[in-house]
Amino acid sequence: MIEVMTEYLAKGFMTMLSISMPCVLTAASIGLVVGIIQAVTQVQEQTIAAAPKIFAVFLVIIIGGLGFIKLLTNLFTDGMALAFNGVSKADTFVLPADYYKYTKPFEGEMKDSFRNQPTLNEVMKNPGKVPYIDKNQKIKYDPAPRAPMPKANFVETNKILGR
């Protein structure tokens, strides 16, 4: 199964290269041609090459777009076929459907902390009583301590003292 997954990964890399390679080669060739023209004319402006590169790469994407989409669709279809037909048939990767029926995977980790809790009907009959697991968990709500009065500034102090 690992060999199949490795082969699919290699196919993904090849798809990525086959989609990006025409764009990269087009931009590099346009840059080379513009660089040669700039060397001949002795115009050393870096922004001149940007517009032809953008236009050429845009044309490559428009012309090859349907082919790029077809490559990606084939990769996706192969991946889904591998996921649903290949991996699901491999016994080492998939758990049986009734796995949790006969096992308790977190039995040692989980404690039954809600064992002595009232049922939903009991809680609905007594809306004022909030169920707590432990009496120590109950938070006591005391009124917040009042902040001291702020000290008056210089102007307010002079008005208070009548100066």
Side-chain angles (χ1 to χ4, degrees), residues 28-40:
S29 61
I30 295 292
L32 180 66
V33 169
V34 170
I36 291 172
I37 292 173
Q38 283 181 335
V40 169

Side-chain angles (χ1 to χ4, degrees), residues 118 122-132 138:
E122 293 173 12
V123 172
M124 295 302 286
K125 288 178 186 173
N126 303 317
K129 291 185 175 179
V130 179
Y132 292 100
K138 188 173 184 179

Side-chain angles (χ1 to χ4, degrees), residues 9-156:
L9 183 66
K11 186 175 182 182
F13 280 125
M14 290 306 294
T15 303
M16 176 187 64
L17 286 174
S18 61
I19 289 174
S20 63
M21 193 59 66
C23 298
V24 170
L25 290 178
T26 302
S29 61
I30 295 292
L32 180 66
V33 169
V34 170
I36 291 172
I37 292 173
Q38 283 181 335
V40 169
T41 60
Q42 295 182 352
V43 176
Q44 299 299 323
E45 182 63 34
Q46 298 296 325
T47 58
I48 293 176
K53 283 183 190 178
I54 292 171
F55 183 71
V57 170
F58 182 70
L59 280 178
V60 167
I61 291 173
I62 287 179
I63 293 170
L66 290 176
F68 298 158
I69 291 173
K70 188 68 174 171
L71 285 171
L72 288 173
T73 305
N74 289 341
L75 182 69
F76 179 75
T77 306
D78 291 347
M80 289 300 109
L82 178 64
F84 290 113
N85 297 330
V87 175
S88 63
K89 305 264 187 307
D91 293 332
T92 57
F93 289 109
V94 180
L95 294 174
D98 59 350
Y99 174 73
Y100 291 107
K101 186 175 181 181
Y102 303 107
T103 60
K104 294 182 181 175
F106 302 110
E107 185 175 12
E109 298 173 14
M110 298 186 66
K111 298 188 177 17
D112 193 8
S113 58
F114 298 103
R115 183 172 7 112
N116 54 4
Q117 289 303 304
T119 63
L120 181 62
N121 290 334
E122 293 173 12
V123 172
M124 295 302 286
K125 288 178 186 173
N126 303 317
K129 291 185 175 179
V130 179
Y132 292 100
I133 295 172
D134 191 6
K135 295 295 181 192
N136 296 331
Q137 286 183 338
K138 188 173 184 179
I139 300 172
K140 294 181 181 179
Y141 292 102
D142 296 329
R146 294 187 176 220
M149 293 293 291
K151 186 178 178 190
N153 63 16
F154 181 73
V155 176
E156 292 173 339

